[in-house]
Amino acid sequence: MKLAPSTAGPTAFAGGLLAVARHAGEAPSAAEAAIDAALDGALGRTAARLKFTGKPGQSVSLDTLGRLPATRVLLVGLGDRAKVAPGTLRDAGAQAVDAALGQRLDEVGFVVPEGADARLIAEGALLGAYRFDQHKKADPDDPPARVTRFDLLGAGDAALDRAATIAGAINLARTLVNEPPNVCTPSRLAAVAGEIASGADLGLTVLGPDEMEARGMGGILAVSAGAEEAPRLIHLTWQPEGAAAEGGIVIVGKGLTFDSGGLSIKPAKSMENMHIDMAGAAAVLGAMKIVAALRPGVTVHGIVGSCENMPDGKSYRPSDILEMYSGKTVEVLNTDAEGRIVLADCLHYAKQLQPKLIVDLATLTGACMVALGEHYAGLFTDDEAVAEELLASAREAGERLWRLPLDPKLAPSIKSQRADIKNLGGPYGGAITGALFLKEFVGDTPWAHLDIAGPATADKTDGHIRAGGTGYGVLTLWRLIERAASR
Ligand code: BES
Ligand code: MN
Ligand code: ZN
């Protein structure tokens, strides 16, 4: 889909679908009034009959019957002006795309409302047009509808370039999550990191099993032991000119390309979707793709710990004691609590980069979904300033993030008789004990953990979110980086 700015007046747009928006409790804009006048008042009459009040998600749509150059008109609600969030405008852009697809119209013109950020509407259009259909054969008699062009009536070039960069990175993350585990392997993730680095001024280091062995990364190696696929630790670096390698931000992603549970094998139903267990890695790669394009004035390291968790004669076992990269020992009680073990080695690696902040993203626990529902990610940190920073970044980005307690009261539950700690806590607060385990490996470095098990995927299409991988985290990470760079 091509985004294009346009100075055409609303009634001059000659493509398929002409979209215009209205806030709740407000009179029609001049653009809507002009469209309505060209239609002899049919838009206003239909809106009144359908009790359109401008609520978010509400819409009215009708054919122009040749009274306007456009084939069809769509009026969408944006809700109260004071309550408009980034998601509201992204949803409106996606809604226009959906309406065009439903009518098999391939061009959309969206009248950018007064005071609205055209970039967000454009992002919504690109996110709404996203499909994961490359493994499906098209029916030649009924090819899928496509929107090929999205004009923003009243927007400039710069906003649209940025929208294309940001939505492109989210859609990359979505595709990585959606790809099956026989395609999206650890080495495939490393190849994607290579594509992000090449052409941009990013450094790339990839560690395989031999390098991990040499460094004593006993955590990721143990989790990966039962798999045929080789593990990868991927490290992308953006260091702006004149900036030090130290003192930057490190973002770390869990990259389990398949989590069977290992010897503590999951029941079939719980295993069905476990190719999504690399969504943290996808968010990190997505954010680094934006970094590569927009070159923020702050050092950023992107780290992905990637492997498979499989049952085999070579698998790590419940009751094994692992010597981790940091030197701490971990008693394994359940091989399905593998994410924390992989991340522990990545966090120890991250800490040595001497950053001012480490943020990890992981589909870590089902317990986090029990606590917060599937639309919120859980935020864990000891540091009040870091909590504020992440909550503000998520709010400004339009992603749902809620803080949960990193309460040391639960720390005794991960103490082990046989080793320094164990990889399983008690029956309650599983998201918290997972986070407390990770905390053991960050030392004094300011750190936050985002448990994204819920929002990493969506079971149905809703607004600009499409069913499947959501790309959750890309926007929050990018906003965090932007905020750090503006300081
Ligand atoms: N990858 C899973 C967590 C998960 C569950 C992500 C559902 C997305 C949707 C993780 O590795 C896992 O298996 N966690 C266990 C931890 C338990 C063994 C302590 C869980 O949540 O049951
Ligand atoms: Mn698991
Ligand atoms: Zn997992």
Side-chain angles (χ1 to χ4, degrees), residues 355-359 381 383 386 442-448:
K356 68 165 183 229
L357 175 63
I358 301 175
V359 179
T381 179
D383 186 315
V386 169
V442 291
D444 300 329
T445 311
W447 159 77

Side-chain angles (χ1 to χ4, degrees), residues 172 176 179 183-193 195 232 234:
L172 167 71
L176 292 174
E179 284 289 9
V183 171
C184 184
T185 58
S187 40
R188 173 77 195 122
L189 289 179
V192 169
E195 285 159 24
R232 293 285 184 268
I234 303 163

Side-chain angles (χ1 to χ4, degrees), residues 236-325:
L236 282 164
T237 305
W238 162 249
Q239 198 178 329
E241 234 173 80
E246 301 80 31
I249 297 178
V250 187
I251 55 180
V252 180
K254 171 180 173 182
L256 266 285
T257 58
F258 190 69
D259 178 14
S260 70
L263 291 177
S264 313
I265 197 160
K266 289 180 184 290
K269 268 283 151 208
S270 317
M271 207 192 290
E272 263 176 19
N273 256 338
M274 277 304 133
H275 66 284
I276 63 91
D277 211 15
M278 35 57 68
V284 166
L285 292 174
M288 292 310 286
K289 192 176 153 88
I290 303 177
V291 166
L294 300 184
R295 308 166 68 87
V298 59
T299 296
V300 185
H301 299 274
I303 291 170
V304 163
S306 183
C307 65
E308 275 184 352
N309 187 19
M310 299 292 270
D312 182 80
K314 294 197 176 67
S315 291
Y316 79 133
R317 294 160 281 252
S319 82
D320 276 356
I321 294 177
L322 313 179
E323 177 152 351
M324 307 291 283
Y325 185 29

Side-chain angles (χ1 to χ4, degrees), residues 20-365:
V20 63
R22 200 200 293 175
H23 286 99
E26 293 187 14
S29 64
E32 185 190 331
I35 293 165
D36 195 29
L39 298 174
D40 293 333
L43 181 59
R45 281 195 303 279
T46 312
R49 187 182 78 239
L50 295 175
K51 310 235 177 297
F52 176 90
T53 54
K55 277 196 225 114
Q58 223 183 6
S59 70
V60 175
S61 156
L62 61 169
D63 259 75
T64 63
L65 304 173
R67 289 170 187 257
L68 279 171
T71 305
R72 205 169 169 87
V73 161
L74 174 76
L75 171 63
V76 298
L78 292 178
D80 286 346
R81 187 178 283 275
K83 289 190 192 149
V84 171
T88 317
L89 293 172
R90 291 193 187 106
D91 286 349
Q95 200 178 354
V97 167
D98 283 339
L101 291 172
Q103 292 288 325
R104 287 198 165 269
L105 296 169
D106 55 9
E107 290 185 16
V108 176
F110 199 117
V111 182
V112 178
E114 189 80 20
D117 186 348
R119 194 199 90 208
L120 295 168
I121 298 169
E123 282 176 14
L126 290 166
L127 294 171
Y130 175 82
R131 294 290 178 274
F132 181 70
D133 56 9
Q134 56 266 47
H135 298 292
K136 266 175 104 150
K137 276 160 208 70
D139 178 353
D141 297 329
D142 184 21
R146 298 263 185 242
V147 173
T148 52
R149 194 184 159 94
F150 195 98
D151 285 0
L152 285 125
L153 312 181
D157 264 324
L160 302 193
D161 285 351
R162 221 172 164 81
T165 298
I166 290 171
I170 297 169
N171 286 340
L172 167 71
R174 289 171 165 188
T175 293
L176 292 174
V177 172
N178 289 334
E179 284 289 9
N182 55 329
V183 171
C184 184
T185 58
S187 40
R188 173 77 195 122
L189 289 179
V192 169
E195 285 159 24
I196 292 169
S198 74
D201 301 319
L202 261 61
L204 174 64
T205 307
V206 178
L207 309 185
D210 297 343
E211 293 90 350
M212 292 175 186
E213 200 76 63
R215 290 174 198 236
M217 297 182 162
I220 185 169
L221 281 168
V223 172
S224 155
E228 292 293 326
E229 286 294 335
R232 293 285 184 268
L233 189 146
I234 303 163
H235 175 190
L236 282 164
T237 305
W238 162 249
Q239 198 178 329
E241 234 173 80
E246 301 80 31
I249 297 178
V250 187
I251 55 180
V252 180
K254 171 180 173 182
L256 266 285
T257 58
F258 190 69
D259 178 14
S260 70
L263 291 177
S264 313
I265 197 160
K266 289 180 184 290
K269 268 283 151 208
S270 317
M271 207 192 290
E272 263 176 19
N273 256 338
M274 277 304 133
H275 66 284
I276 63 91
D277 211 15
M278 35 57 68
V284 166
L285 292 174
M288 292 310 286
K289 192 176 153 88
I290 303 177
V291 166
L294 300 184
R295 308 166 68 87
V298 59
T299 296
V300 185
H301 299 274
I303 291 170
V304 163
S306 183
C307 65
E308 275 184 352
N309 187 19
M310 299 292 270
D312 182 80
K314 294 197 176 67
S315 291
Y316 79 133
R317 294 160 281 252
S319 82
D320 276 356
I321 294 177
L322 313 179
E323 177 152 351
M324 307 291 283
Y325 185 29
S326 76
K328 280 202 175 159
T329 56
V330 171
E331 179 187 17
V332 179
L333 289 191
N334 187 322
T335 63
D336 198 11
E338 85 297 339
R340 64 199 68 183
I341 297 176
V342 169
L343 281 177
D345 281 359
C346 294
L347 291 170
H348 185 70
Y349 182 101
K351 183 177 133 181
Q352 295 173 68
L353 301 169
Q354 298 173 38
K356 68 165 183 229
L357 175 63
I358 301 175
V359 179
D360 79 73
L361 288 88
T363 46
L364 204 70
T365 67

